[in-house]
PDB file of all heavy atoms in Angstrom:
ATOM      1  N   THR A   1       8.864   2.203 -15.052  1.00 91.00           N
ATOM      2  CA  THR A   1       8.006   3.329 -14.671  1.00 91.00           C
ATOM      3  C   THR A   1       7.046   3.479 -15.896  1.00 91.00           C
ATOM      4  O   THR A   1       7.180   3.109 -16.959  1.00 91.00           O
ATOM      5  CB  THR A   1       8.858   4.579 -14.614  1.00 91.00           C
ATOM      6  OG1 THR A   1       9.549   4.835 -15.775  1.00 91.00           O
ATOM      7  CG2 THR A   1       9.853   4.475 -13.408  1.00 91.00           C
ATOM      8  N   ALA A   2       5.951   4.076 -15.467  1.00 83.00           N
ATOM      9  CA  ALA A   2       4.922   4.424 -16.414  1.00 83.00           C
ATOM     10  C   ALA A   2       4.337   3.245 -17.304  1.00 83.00           C
ATOM     11  O   ALA A   2       4.154   3.389 -18.454  1.00 83.00           O
ATOM     12  CB  ALA A   2       5.357   5.551 -17.290  1.00 83.00           C
ATOM     13  N   THR A   3       4.204   2.157 -16.659  1.00 93.00           N
ATOM     14  CA  THR A   3       3.654   1.023 -17.437  1.00 93.00           C
ATOM     15  C   THR A   3       2.236   0.741 -17.027  1.00 93.00           C
ATOM     16  O   THR A   3       1.824   1.061 -15.881  1.00 93.00           O
ATOM     17  CB  THR A   3       4.443  -0.354 -17.069  1.00 93.00           C
ATOM     18  OG1 THR A   3       4.263  -0.659 -15.692  1.00 93.00           O
ATOM     19  CG2 THR A   3       5.968  -0.227 -17.326  1.00 93.00           C
ATOM     20  N   PRO A   4       1.452   0.279 -18.001  1.00 93.00           N
ATOM     21  CA  PRO A   4      -0.050   0.131 -17.692  1.00 93.00           C
ATOM     22  C   PRO A   4      -0.367  -0.725 -16.550  1.00 93.00           C
ATOM     23  O   PRO A   4      -1.312  -0.541 -15.842  1.00 93.00           O
ATOM     24  CB  PRO A   4      -0.536  -0.386 -18.984  1.00 93.00           C
ATOM     25  CG  PRO A   4       0.450  -0.030 -20.046  1.00 93.00           C
ATOM     26  CD  PRO A   4       1.755   0.014 -19.427  1.00 93.00           C
ATOM     27  N   GLU A   5       0.592  -1.730 -16.388  1.00 94.00           N
ATOM     28  CA  GLU A   5       0.310  -2.777 -15.267  1.00 94.00           C
ATOM     29  C   GLU A   5       0.462  -2.083 -13.932  1.00 94.00           C
ATOM     30  O   GLU A   5      -0.019  -2.630 -12.874  1.00 94.00           O
ATOM     31  CB  GLU A   5       1.339  -3.856 -15.340  1.00 94.00           C
ATOM     32  CG  GLU A   5       1.242  -4.778 -16.619  1.00 94.00           C
ATOM     33  CD  GLU A   5       1.828  -4.138 -17.826  1.00 94.00           C
ATOM     34  OE1 GLU A   5       2.533  -3.103 -17.678  1.00 94.00           O
ATOM     35  OE2 GLU A   5       1.583  -4.622 -18.955  1.00 94.00           O
ATOM     36  N   GLN A   6       1.174  -1.018 -13.800  1.00 96.00           N
ATOM     37  CA  GLN A   6       1.336  -0.313 -12.458  1.00 96.00           C
ATOM     38  C   GLN A   6       0.103   0.456 -12.044  1.00 96.00           C
ATOM     39  O   GLN A   6      -0.103   0.697 -10.844  1.00 96.00           O
ATOM     40  CB  GLN A   6       2.498   0.556 -12.496  1.00 96.00           C
ATOM     41  CG  GLN A   6       3.827  -0.116 -12.593  1.00 96.00           C
ATOM     42  CD  GLN A   6       4.972   0.813 -12.815  1.00 96.00           C
ATOM     43  OE1 GLN A   6       4.813   1.976 -13.383  1.00 96.00           O
ATOM     44  NE2 GLN A   6       6.163   0.416 -12.439  1.00 96.00           N
ATOM     45  N   VAL A   7      -0.739   0.806 -12.944  1.00 95.00           N
ATOM     46  CA  VAL A   7      -1.925   1.644 -12.612  1.00 95.00           C
ATOM     47  C   VAL A   7      -2.908   0.815 -11.755  1.00 95.00           C
ATOM     48  O   VAL A   7      -3.464  -0.225 -12.205  1.00 95.00           O
ATOM     49  CB  VAL A   7      -2.645   2.122 -13.815  1.00 95.00           C
ATOM     50  CG1 VAL A   7      -3.832   2.982 -13.469  1.00 95.00           C
ATOM     51  CG2 VAL A   7      -1.644   2.989 -14.630  1.00 95.00           C
ATOM     52  N   GLY A   8      -3.181   1.321 -10.579  1.00 94.00           N
ATOM     53  CA  GLY A   8      -4.110   0.584  -9.698  1.00 94.00           C
ATOM     54  C   GLY A   8      -3.565  -0.671  -9.038  1.00 94.00           C
ATOM     55  O   GLY A   8      -4.359  -1.511  -8.491  1.00 94.00           O
ATOM     56  N   ALA A   9      -2.226  -0.840  -9.132  1.00 96.00           N
ATOM     57  CA  ALA A   9      -1.740  -2.032  -8.581  1.00 96.00           C
ATOM     58  C   ALA A   9      -1.094  -1.724  -7.213  1.00 96.00           C
ATOM     59  O   ALA A   9      -0.571  -0.590  -6.835  1.00 96.00           O
ATOM     60  CB  ALA A   9      -0.497  -2.443  -9.422  1.00 96.00           C
ATOM     61  N   PHE A  10      -1.269  -2.684  -6.296  1.00 97.00           N
ATOM     62  CA  PHE A  10      -0.755  -2.612  -4.941  1.00 97.00           C
ATOM     63  C   PHE A  10       0.099  -3.838  -4.532  1.00 97.00           C
ATOM     64  O   PHE A  10      -0.036  -4.945  -5.137  1.00 97.00           O
ATOM     65  CB  PHE A  10      -1.960  -2.464  -3.967  1.00 97.00           C
ATOM     66  CG  PHE A  10      -2.767  -1.200  -4.198  1.00 97.00           C
ATOM     67  CD1 PHE A  10      -3.748  -1.135  -5.062  1.00 97.00           C
ATOM     68  CD2 PHE A  10      -2.292   0.041  -3.596  1.00 97.00           C
ATOM     69  CE1 PHE A  10      -4.470   0.069  -5.343  1.00 97.00           C
ATOM     70  CE2 PHE A  10      -2.990   1.161  -3.819  1.00 97.00           C
ATOM     71  CZ  PHE A  10      -4.043   1.172  -4.749  1.00 97.00           C
ATOM     72  N   LYS A  11       0.867  -3.684  -3.473  1.00 97.00           N
ATOM     73  CA  LYS A  11       1.826  -4.746  -3.108  1.00 97.00           C
ATOM     74  C   LYS A  11       1.161  -5.923  -2.507  1.00 97.00           C
ATOM     75  O   LYS A  11       0.169  -5.808  -1.804  1.00 97.00           O
ATOM     76  CB  LYS A  11       2.817  -4.104  -2.075  1.00 97.00           C
ATOM     77  CG  LYS A  11       3.928  -5.123  -1.712  1.00 97.00           C
ATOM     78  CD  LYS A  11       4.840  -4.513  -0.722  1.00 97.00           C
ATOM     79  CE  LYS A  11       6.018  -5.493  -0.353  1.00 97.00           C
ATOM     80  NZ  LYS A  11       6.970  -4.879   0.687  1.00 97.00           N
ATOM     81  N   THR A  12       1.535  -7.138  -2.990  1.00 98.00           N
ATOM     82  CA  THR A  12       0.974  -8.347  -2.353  1.00 98.00           C
ATOM     83  C   THR A  12       1.379  -8.432  -0.959  1.00 98.00           C
ATOM     84  O   THR A  12       2.492  -8.579  -0.605  1.00 98.00           O
ATOM     85  CB  THR A  12       1.600  -9.596  -3.237  1.00 98.00           C
ATOM     86  OG1 THR A  12       1.340  -9.425  -4.582  1.00 98.00           O
ATOM     87  CG2 THR A  12       0.914 -10.837  -2.704  1.00 98.00           C
ATOM     88  N   PRO A  13       0.461  -8.490   0.006  1.00 97.00           N
ATOM     89  CA  PRO A  13       0.832  -8.608   1.447  1.00 97.00           C
ATOM     90  C   PRO A  13       1.161 -10.011   1.672  1.00 97.00           C
ATOM     91  O   PRO A  13       0.699 -10.955   1.132  1.00 97.00           O
ATOM     92  CB  PRO A  13      -0.417  -8.103   2.116  1.00 97.00           C
ATOM     93  CG  PRO A  13      -1.499  -8.531   1.206  1.00 97.00           C
ATOM     94  CD  PRO A  13      -0.956  -8.290  -0.152  1.00 97.00           C
ATOM     95  N   SER A  14       2.002 -10.203   2.769  1.00 98.00           N
ATOM     96  CA  SER A  14       2.198 -11.559   3.225  1.00 98.00           C
ATOM     97  C   SER A  14       0.829 -12.137   3.847  1.00 98.00           C
ATOM     98  O   SER A  14       0.099 -11.352   4.461  1.00 98.00           O
ATOM     99  CB  SER A  14       3.326 -11.542   4.377  1.00 98.00           C
ATOM    100  OG  SER A  14       3.377 -12.794   5.003  1.00 98.00           O
ATOM    101  N   LEU A  15       0.700 -13.428   3.723  1.00 98.00           N
ATOM    102  CA  LEU A  15      -0.475 -14.027   4.313  1.00 98.00           C
ATOM    103  C   LEU A  15      -0.052 -14.741   5.691  1.00 98.00           C
ATOM    104  O   LEU A  15      -0.961 -15.350   6.328  1.00 98.00           O
ATOM    105  CB  LEU A  15      -0.965 -15.179   3.355  1.00 98.00           C
ATOM    106  CG  LEU A  15      -1.741 -14.615   2.088  1.00 98.00           C
ATOM    107  CD1 LEU A  15      -2.282 -15.780   1.358  1.00 98.00           C
ATOM    108  CD2 LEU A  15      -2.684 -13.532   2.341  1.00 98.00           C
ATOM    109  N   ARG A  16       1.119 -14.555   6.122  1.00 98.00           N
ATOM    110  CA  ARG A  16       1.509 -14.956   7.424  1.00 98.00           C
ATOM    111  C   ARG A  16       0.554 -14.291   8.519  1.00 98.00           C
ATOM    112  O   ARG A  16       0.447 -13.090   8.487  1.00 98.00           O
ATOM    113  CB  ARG A  16       2.974 -14.686   7.772  1.00 98.00           C
ATOM    114  CG  ARG A  16       3.918 -15.519   6.912  1.00 98.00           C
ATOM    115  CD  ARG A  16       4.057 -16.916   7.395  1.00 98.00           C
ATOM    116  NE  ARG A  16       4.668 -17.789   6.487  1.00 98.00           N
ATOM    117  CZ  ARG A  16       4.872 -19.027   6.719  1.00 98.00           C
ATOM    118  NH1 ARG A  16       4.458 -19.642   7.840  1.00 98.00           N
ATOM    119  NH2 ARG A  16       5.435 -19.916   5.832  1.00 98.00           N
ATOM    120  N   ASN A  17       0.001 -15.059   9.349  1.00 98.00           N
ATOM    121  CA  ASN A  17      -0.863 -14.585  10.419  1.00 98.00           C
ATOM    122  C   ASN A  17      -2.089 -13.832   9.918  1.00 98.00           C
ATOM    123  O   ASN A  17      -2.701 -12.997  10.633  1.00 98.00           O
ATOM    124  CB  ASN A  17      -0.096 -13.568  11.470  1.00 98.00           C
ATOM    125  CG  ASN A  17       1.067 -14.417  12.175  1.00 98.00           C
ATOM    126  OD1 ASN A  17       1.178 -15.644  12.049  1.00 98.00           O
ATOM    127  ND2 ASN A  17       1.803 -13.710  12.972  1.00 98.00           N
ATOM    128  N   VAL A  18      -2.562 -14.149   8.734  1.00 98.00           N
ATOM    129  CA  VAL A  18      -3.555 -13.398   8.014  1.00 98.00           C
ATOM    130  C   VAL A  18      -4.938 -13.512   8.775  1.00 98.00           C
ATOM    131  O   VAL A  18      -5.680 -12.492   8.740  1.00 98.00           O
ATOM    132  CB  VAL A  18      -3.725 -13.744   6.578  1.00 98.00           C
ATOM    133  CG1 VAL A  18      -4.245 -15.197   6.461  1.00 98.00           C
ATOM    134  CG2 VAL A  18      -4.619 -12.813   5.802  1.00 98.00           C
ATOM    135  N   ALA A  19      -5.162 -14.579   9.393  1.00 98.00           N
ATOM    136  CA  ALA A  19      -6.472 -14.839  10.066  1.00 98.00           C
ATOM    137  C   ALA A  19      -6.659 -13.795  11.199  1.00 98.00           C
ATOM    138  O   ALA A  19      -7.798 -13.460  11.607  1.00 98.00           O
ATOM    139  CB  ALA A  19      -6.583 -16.207  10.485  1.00 98.00           C
ATOM    140  N   GLY A  20      -5.607 -13.336  11.751  1.00 96.00           N
ATOM    141  CA  GLY A  20      -5.695 -12.408  12.890  1.00 96.00           C
ATOM    142  C   GLY A  20      -5.432 -10.994  12.518  1.00 96.00           C
ATOM    143  O   GLY A  20      -5.136 -10.098  13.395  1.00 96.00           O
ATOM    144  N   ARG A  21      -5.400 -10.624  11.225  1.00 95.00           N
ATOM    145  CA  ARG A  21      -5.089  -9.300  10.863  1.00 95.00           C
ATOM    146  C   ARG A  21      -6.185  -8.608  10.016  1.00 95.00           C
ATOM    147  O   ARG A  21      -5.808  -7.872   9.121  1.00 95.00           O
ATOM    148  CB  ARG A  21      -3.763  -9.323   9.924  1.00 95.00           C
ATOM    149  CG  ARG A  21      -2.588  -9.645  10.689  1.00 95.00           C
ATOM    150  CD  ARG A  21      -1.346  -8.925  10.117  1.00 95.00           C
ATOM    151  NE  ARG A  21      -1.303  -9.021   8.619  1.00 95.00           N
ATOM    152  CZ  ARG A  21      -0.649 -10.055   7.912  1.00 95.00           C
ATOM    153  NH1 ARG A  21      -0.064 -10.901   8.588  1.00 95.00           N
ATOM    154  NH2 ARG A  21      -0.639 -10.014   6.682  1.00 95.00           N
ATOM    155  N   ALA A  22      -7.468  -8.924  10.365  1.00 97.00           N
ATOM    156  CA  ALA A  22      -8.469  -8.141   9.668  1.00 97.00           C
ATOM    157  C   ALA A  22      -8.451  -6.700  10.092  1.00 97.00           C
ATOM    158  O   ALA A  22      -7.937  -6.328  11.184  1.00 97.00           O
ATOM    159  CB  ALA A  22      -9.855  -8.735  10.212  1.00 97.00           C
ATOM    160  N   PRO A  23      -8.960  -5.788   9.236  1.00 97.00           N
ATOM    161  CA  PRO A  23      -9.616  -5.982   7.995  1.00 97.00           C
ATOM    162  C   PRO A  23      -8.578  -6.110   6.880  1.00 97.00           C
ATOM    163  O   PRO A  23      -7.417  -6.013   7.133  1.00 97.00           O
ATOM    164  CB  PRO A  23     -10.420  -4.834   7.756  1.00 97.00           C
ATOM    165  CG  PRO A  23      -9.763  -3.704   8.515  1.00 97.00           C
ATOM    166  CD  PRO A  23      -9.144  -4.413   9.673  1.00 97.00           C
ATOM    167  N   TYR A  24      -9.022  -6.339   5.644  1.00 98.00           N
ATOM    168  CA  TYR A  24      -8.080  -6.593   4.557  1.00 98.00           C
ATOM    169  C   TYR A  24      -8.130  -5.625   3.354  1.00 98.00           C
ATOM    170  O   TYR A  24      -9.139  -4.914   3.206  1.00 98.00           O
ATOM    171  CB  TYR A  24      -8.447  -8.033   4.095  1.00 98.00           C
ATOM    172  CG  TYR A  24      -8.424  -9.085   5.251  1.00 98.00           C
ATOM    173  CD1 TYR A  24      -9.648  -9.521   5.816  1.00 98.00           C
ATOM    174  CD2 TYR A  24      -7.241  -9.526   5.772  1.00 98.00           C
ATOM    175  CE1 TYR A  24      -9.576 -10.459   6.849  1.00 98.00           C
ATOM    176  CE2 TYR A  24      -7.192 -10.373   6.788  1.00 98.00           C
ATOM    177  CZ  TYR A  24      -8.382 -10.914   7.372  1.00 98.00           C
ATOM    178  OH  TYR A  24      -8.266 -11.749   8.449  1.00 98.00           O
ATOM    179  N   MET A  25      -7.121  -5.776   2.591  1.00 96.00           N
ATOM    180  CA  MET A  25      -6.888  -4.929   1.378  1.00 96.00           C
ATOM    181  C   MET A  25      -6.200  -3.618   1.758  1.00 96.00           C
ATOM    182  O   MET A  25      -6.187  -3.224   2.925  1.00 96.00           O
ATOM    183  CB  MET A  25      -8.078  -4.762   0.483  1.00 96.00           C
ATOM    184  CG  MET A  25      -8.726  -6.028   0.010  1.00 96.00           C
ATOM    185  SD  MET A  25      -7.561  -7.170  -0.852  1.00 96.00           S
ATOM    186  CE  MET A  25      -8.558  -8.553  -1.278  1.00 96.00           C
ATOM    187  N   HIS A  26      -5.703  -2.896   0.670  1.00 95.00           N
ATOM    188  CA  HIS A  26      -4.948  -1.639   0.981  1.00 95.00           C
ATOM    189  C   HIS A  26      -5.825  -0.615   1.601  1.00 95.00           C
ATOM    190  O   HIS A  26      -5.272   0.299   2.191  1.00 95.00           O
ATOM    191  CB  HIS A  26      -4.327  -1.126  -0.281  1.00 95.00           C
ATOM    192  CG  HIS A  26      -5.337  -0.543  -1.294  1.00 95.00           C
ATOM    193  ND1 HIS A  26      -6.088  -1.319  -2.110  1.00 95.00           N
ATOM    194  CD2 HIS A  26      -5.753   0.661  -1.456  1.00 95.00           C
ATOM    195  CE1 HIS A  26      -6.868  -0.555  -2.858  1.00 95.00           C
ATOM    196  NE2 HIS A  26      -6.717   0.760  -2.446  1.00 95.00           N
ATOM    197  N   ASP A  27      -7.129  -0.665   1.548  1.00 94.00           N
ATOM    198  CA  ASP A  27      -8.019   0.331   2.173  1.00 94.00           C
ATOM    199  C   ASP A  27      -8.920  -0.354   3.182  1.00 94.00           C
ATOM    200  O   ASP A  27      -9.888   0.321   3.658  1.00 94.00           O
ATOM    201  CB  ASP A  27      -8.903   1.124   1.090  1.00 94.00           C
ATOM    202  CG  ASP A  27      -9.626   0.157   0.245  1.00 94.00           C
ATOM    203  OD1 ASP A  27      -9.631  -1.100   0.431  1.00 94.00           O
ATOM    204  OD2 ASP A  27     -10.300   0.589  -0.741  1.00 94.00           O
ATOM    205  N   GLY A  28      -8.675  -1.526   3.561  1.00 95.00           N
ATOM    206  CA  GLY A  28      -9.315  -2.103   4.690  1.00 95.00           C
ATOM    207  C   GLY A  28     -10.853  -2.341   4.456  1.00 95.00           C
ATOM    208  O   GLY A  28     -11.644  -2.366   5.384  1.00 95.00           O
ATOM    209  N   ARG A  29     -11.197  -2.568   3.183  1.00 95.00           N
ATOM    210  CA  ARG A  29     -12.575  -2.641   2.807  1.00 95.00           C
ATOM    211  C   ARG A  29     -13.289  -3.941   3.271  1.00 95.00           C
ATOM    212  O   ARG A  29     -14.493  -3.953   3.367  1.00 95.00           O
ATOM    213  CB  ARG A  29     -12.669  -2.433   1.299  1.00 95.00           C
ATOM    214  CG  ARG A  29     -12.256  -3.646   0.457  1.00 95.00           C
ATOM    215  CD  ARG A  29     -12.481  -3.484  -0.987  1.00 95.00           C
ATOM    216  NE  ARG A  29     -11.895  -2.277  -1.492  1.00 95.00           N
ATOM    217  CZ  ARG A  29     -12.594  -1.289  -2.126  1.00 95.00           C
ATOM    218  NH1 ARG A  29     -13.865  -1.327  -2.308  1.00 95.00           N
ATOM    219  NH2 ARG A  29     -11.934  -0.224  -2.619  1.00 95.00           N
ATOM    220  N   PHE A  30     -12.527  -5.037   3.340  1.00 97.00           N
ATOM    221  CA  PHE A  30     -13.207  -6.310   3.686  1.00 97.00           C
ATOM    222  C   PHE A  30     -12.958  -6.666   5.190  1.00 97.00           C
ATOM    223  O   PHE A  30     -11.794  -6.698   5.602  1.00 97.00           O
ATOM    224  CB  PHE A  30     -12.576  -7.396   2.793  1.00 97.00           C
ATOM    225  CG  PHE A  30     -12.941  -7.184   1.357  1.00 97.00           C
ATOM    226  CD1 PHE A  30     -11.923  -7.431   0.423  1.00 97.00           C
ATOM    227  CD2 PHE A  30     -14.147  -6.717   0.948  1.00 97.00           C
ATOM    228  CE1 PHE A  30     -12.273  -7.341  -0.941  1.00 97.00           C
ATOM    229  CE2 PHE A  30     -14.479  -6.538  -0.383  1.00 97.00           C
ATOM    230  CZ  PHE A  30     -13.452  -6.851  -1.387  1.00 97.00           C
ATOM    231  N   ALA A  31     -14.006  -6.908   5.922  1.00 98.00           N
ATOM    232  CA  ALA A  31     -13.930  -7.233   7.331  1.00 98.00           C
ATOM    233  C   ALA A  31     -13.516  -8.664   7.544  1.00 98.00           C
ATOM    234  O   ALA A  31     -13.056  -9.027   8.659  1.00 98.00           O
ATOM    235  CB  ALA A  31     -15.236  -6.966   7.998  1.00 98.00           C
ATOM    236  N   THR A  32     -13.798  -9.586   6.630  1.00 98.00           N
ATOM    237  CA  THR A  32     -13.555 -11.028   6.901  1.00 98.00           C
ATOM    238  C   THR A  32     -12.794 -11.629   5.646  1.00 98.00           C
ATOM    239  O   THR A  32     -12.906 -11.186   4.588  1.00 98.00           O
ATOM    240  CB  THR A  32     -14.953 -11.766   7.101  1.00 98.00           C
ATOM    241  OG1 THR A  32     -15.603 -11.673   5.871  1.00 98.00           O
ATOM    242  CG2 THR A  32     -15.687 -11.121   8.201  1.00 98.00           C
TER     243      THR A  32
END
């Protein structure tokens, strides 16, 4: 807890079926 590495860090999503799961990133910012 309370480590600098945790600030702004998000879980690594699986890339399984990734081509059909747009948009991307934790806030869906990227369409492609």
Side-chain angles (χ1 to χ4, degrees):
T1 59
T3 64
E5 294 79 12
Q6 293 175 333
V7 178
F10 296 90
K11 187 176 179 181
T12 306
S14 170
L15 293 186
R16 292 280 166 185
N17 296 358
V18 67
R21 288 212 315 268
Y24 304 103
M25 304 303 180
H26 71 276
D27 54 5
R29 69 176 57 239
F30 296 139
T32 66

